[in-house]
Amino acid sequence: MSRDPDAEIQTASDDSSAASPRPIRIAFCHYTSDVCGGSDRSLFDLVTHLDPSAFQTFLLLRRGDPLAPAYREAGCTVAEIPFVAPRRALEWGKLFRFFFWFWPHVVYAAWLFRRWNVDMVHVNTLNNLQGPFGATLSRKPLIWHVRELVPDSRADRLMRGLVARLATRAVANSPAVAATLSGVGPRLHTILNGIDLSEYPETTPADLSRFQGEPLVLCIGRQEPWKGQHVLVEALPAVLKAHPMARVWFVGGPAVNKPDYAPALVTRCAELGISDRVNFTGIRTDIPELLGQAAVLVLPSVTAEPFGRTLVEGMAAGCAVVATAAGGPLDIVVDGETGLLVGQDKPEALSTALITLLDDPERAQRLGIQGYARAHRHFSLTRLVAEMATLFTDVYTNAPPRNT
């Protein structure tokens, strides 16, 4: 395979000495189909907060990754290649492209890992095959970071089997995800996601101003069916009947493979006669500020969330949260103490929970304050980085590269 002219290739020289050991070199391999989803942001936070005196970071990304410039600005070595994602649907053109380019991309990834002289490879998300096979081909230890809850199909069982077979260590971002990876055995580590709490106020929110006037209800996330924005839309007529001054903002853009879903949500709001109280904002970069103004954050997923990063962000901003009682949210939200949990795909239950909080601002405030404390105790980026650094060091110590 010819060399990609867009790739930034840096050969790492070993200048270590007994007095000053060189940093551990890690290649992070990730591709994304959407703009700055949770897995993308979580990886960026991890990479850019590792101690540069202890770790040297290299990124192998899908060409056009929206965070590639930010990685370069942070001092990371970055290569971009036109990864083709494995497809679940039988889209024959995409399947052909995937299989045609798979081994060339594997060979190129392996060449980069050896060229960079990395000590290990970290692969972000389950559905990334080129990185794991490239790590195996280049004889590098593999840390496979799984951030998805997937259905129990034949293809997904195959992917989980590959994690068990190829990974030196596997990381699950929640107990719900870990439960699907039991075949990995003792090589599996559950490390909860964390967020950069410095982006949020240092003091606990203590006023009720967010419930005055036109209280804001937020729903943040990619717009696609499993995220359940349509469930919230169906719940809104009852909520707005009880609280006609409430505003509801859907923050985020449509998933690239579900472009018709977001327009359908807008159409349904018009059919229900609630368009004047609903705003589809698109992607926003001021999420902490929005959450600091919101009365309630809603995560209405109809399929279990693998983690639920948005909930942690809401709690860190002192916002009351309402979420579906399945998957990762069960480990984040303490029902009735730091938020409310409702059944999956149940608009009536969702509307009842929202009305309950809008009816009782003092209770919602207590949930926000207690959620704020829980976010700081359990979901800090500092804790996540420390746990991942310990894992990287353990792999480097106990599973050194076999070709250096």
Side-chain angles (χ1 to χ4, degrees), residues 241-318:
K241 181 179 180 180
H243 291 273
M245 296 304 292
R247 300 169 292 151
V248 184
W249 287 14
F250 291 86
V251 179
V256 295
N257 60 340
K258 297 291 187 296
D260 298 330
Y261 182 66
L265 295 175
V266 175
T267 299
R268 184 59 178 156
C269 287
E271 293 171 350
L272 294 172
I274 58 175
S275 297
D276 61 328
R277 305 309 299 169
V278 177
N279 181 21
F280 291 86
T281 72
I283 297 171
R284 298 279 294 247
T285 59
D286 57 345
I287 298 301
E289 290 80 8
L290 288 178
L291 288 168
Q293 301 166 18
V296 185
L297 170 71
V298 186
L299 188 62
S301 310
V302 296
T303 299
E305 288 275 350
F307 180 69
R309 178 188 173 99
T310 301
L311 294 174
V312 177
E313 293 174 335
M315 289 160 56

Side-chain angles (χ1 to χ4, degrees), residues 95-297:
L95 281 172
F96 174 79
R97 288 184 61 239
F98 171 74
F99 285 113
F100 182 83
W101 284 108
F102 178 74
W103 284 112
H105 287 160
V106 167
V107 172
Y108 189 57
W111 179 81
L112 277 176
F113 299 154
R114 294 177 69 93
R115 175 83 171 181
W116 286 334
N117 193 23
V118 298
D119 299 304
M120 66 194 68
V121 176
H122 174 283
V123 169
N124 197 50
T125 75
L126 178 64
N127 292 305
N128 182 336
L129 285 173
Q130 296 92 333
F133 277 91
T136 301
L137 185 61
S138 62
R139 298 174 60 82
K140 303 293 183 180
L142 169 65
I143 297 95
W144 201 330
H145 206 141
V146 181
R147 302 180 185 274
E148 298 97 334
L149 273 177
V150 293
D152 195 28
S153 67
R154 181 179 300 177
D156 293 314
R157 288 194 296 271
L158 173 62
M159 292 299 298
R160 293 196 296 268
L162 287 173
V163 176
R165 184 175 182 85
L166 299 179
T168 308
R169 301 284 191 279
V171 178
N173 67 345
S174 72
V177 172
T180 70
L181 297 170
S182 58
V184 178
R187 291 173 290 130
L188 175 63
H189 299 256
T190 301
I191 299 179
L192 296 172
N193 276 352
I195 66 169
D196 186 356
L197 294 169
S198 68
E199 298 178 359
Y200 297 84
E202 294 183 2
T203 56
T204 303
D207 66 73
L208 298 173
S209 62
R210 61 178 79 198
F211 293 91
Q212 298 170 357
E214 299 182 327
L216 175 61
V217 176
L218 284 181
C219 181
I220 300 174
R222 281 193 314 276
Q223 288 156 12
E224 53 183 321
W226 81 268
K227 287 288 189 179
Q229 287 93 349
H230 60 282
V231 180
L232 177 55
V233 168
E234 297 300 327
L236 288 180
V239 175
L240 292 171
K241 181 179 180 180
H243 291 273
M245 296 304 292
R247 300 169 292 151
V248 184
W249 287 14
F250 291 86
V251 179
V256 295
N257 60 340
K258 297 291 187 296
D260 298 330
Y261 182 66
L265 295 175
V266 175
T267 299
R268 184 59 178 156
C269 287
E271 293 171 350
L272 294 172
I274 58 175
S275 297
D276 61 328
R277 305 309 299 169
V278 177
N279 181 21
F280 291 86
T281 72
I283 297 171
R284 298 279 294 247
T285 59
D286 57 345
I287 298 301
E289 290 80 8
L290 288 178
L291 288 168
Q293 301 166 18
V296 185
L297 170 71

Side-chain angles (χ1 to χ4, degrees), residues 328-341:
L330 294 172
D331 301 304
I332 297 172
V333 179
V334 180
D335 189 27
E337 294 184 20
T338 66
L340 299 180
L341 296 174

Side-chain angles (χ1 to χ4, degrees), residues 54-69:
F55 300 97
Q56 186 177 0
T57 54
F58 303 79
L59 275 297
L60 179 55
L61 304 173
R62 185 178 181 181
R63 181 178 291 168
D65 188 298
L67 288 174

